[in-house]
């Protein structure tokens, strides 16, 4: 499971995501404070069978759960990646029931901020 990531400050960018091999459950959360859909969650299964794709606007957090072994995901972003502006939010701190118990999560995502901490610090 890849935690919720979002670029902040001037690094905010569009993200174009497709699944080249396997399947993923793609999950987005609107982190744009002035948006009508602030904190709403959008989910979609992306399958390599049909190469469906999602375009994620700047300021929307994104994470996903691999649903198959050997999943391959392609990201394209509209600005150069900036590590210092890449924030991570704990996947289990958003209002979403992930369909997995005890997922494999990166060290970085284990150390991520909870959603309420992110909102207080960055919004």
């Amino acid at each position: 499971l890849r935690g919720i990531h979002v670029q902040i400050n001037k690094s905010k960018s569009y993200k174009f995501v497709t699944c080249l091999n396997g399947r993923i459950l793609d999950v987005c959360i609107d982190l744009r404070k002035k948006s009508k859909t602030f904190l709403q969650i959008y989910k979609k299964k992306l399958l390599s069978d049909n190469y469906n794709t999602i375009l994620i606007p700047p300021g929307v957090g994104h994470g996903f759960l691999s649903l198959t072994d050997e999943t391959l995901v392609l990201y394209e972003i509209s600005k150069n990646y900036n590590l210092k502006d890449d924030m991570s939010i704990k996947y289990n701190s958003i209002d979403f029931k992930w369909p997995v118990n005890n997922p494999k999560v990166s060290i970085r995502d284990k150390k991520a901020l909870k959603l309420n901490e992110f909102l207080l610090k960055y919004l």
Side-chain angles (χ1 to χ4, degrees):
L1 190 147
R2 182 179 183 277
I4 308 298
H5 290 219
V6 64
Q7 290 277 303
I8 61 168
N9 302 321
K10 292 182 180 182
S11 299
K12 290 180 185 175
S13 65
Y14 285 93
K15 187 183 290 185
F16 186 77
V17 181
T18 192
C19 185
L20 298 177
N21 189 62
R23 296 179 182 173
I24 63 171
L25 175 61
D26 202 83
V27 177
C28 300
I29 180 169
D30 190 348
L31 299 170
R32 301 169 295 177
K33 197 169 188 173
K34 295 181 181 179
S35 171
K36 292 179 185 176
T37 58
F38 180 59
L39 296 182
Q40 288 185 14
I41 294 173
Y42 174 81
K43 66 178 180 169
K44 181 170 182 67
K45 285 186 181 175
L46 299 181
L47 319 170
S48 62
D49 300 352
N50 60 12
Y51 295 106
N52 54 354
T53 302
I54 187 168
L55 178 64
I56 303 165
V60 173
H62 171 255
F64 66 86
L65 173 66
S66 176
L67 300 173
T68 58
D69 291 336
E70 299 184 30
T71 300
L72 180 62
V73 178
L74 174 69
Y75 287 76
E76 293 183 63
I77 55 176
S78 61
K79 289 186 178 178
N80 288 333
Y81 175 77
N82 185 336
L83 179 61
K84 72 176 183 69
D85 284 344
D86 187 31
M87 298 294 118
S88 184
I89 298 168
K90 286 189 183 281
Y91 74 94
N92 57 359
S93 69
I94 66 170
D95 187 22
F96 181 74
K97 175 72 173 130
W98 294 88
V100 65
N101 294 321
N102 301 316
K104 291 183 184 178
V105 179
S106 73
I107 293 170
R108 178 181 176 205
D109 287 336
K110 287 179 182 177
K111 295 179 180 180
L113 296 172
K114 291 181 180 177
L115 177 61
N116 61 346
E117 295 169 328
F118 172 83
L119 295 173
L120 288 172
K121 190 169 185 175
Y122 296 105
L123 296 187

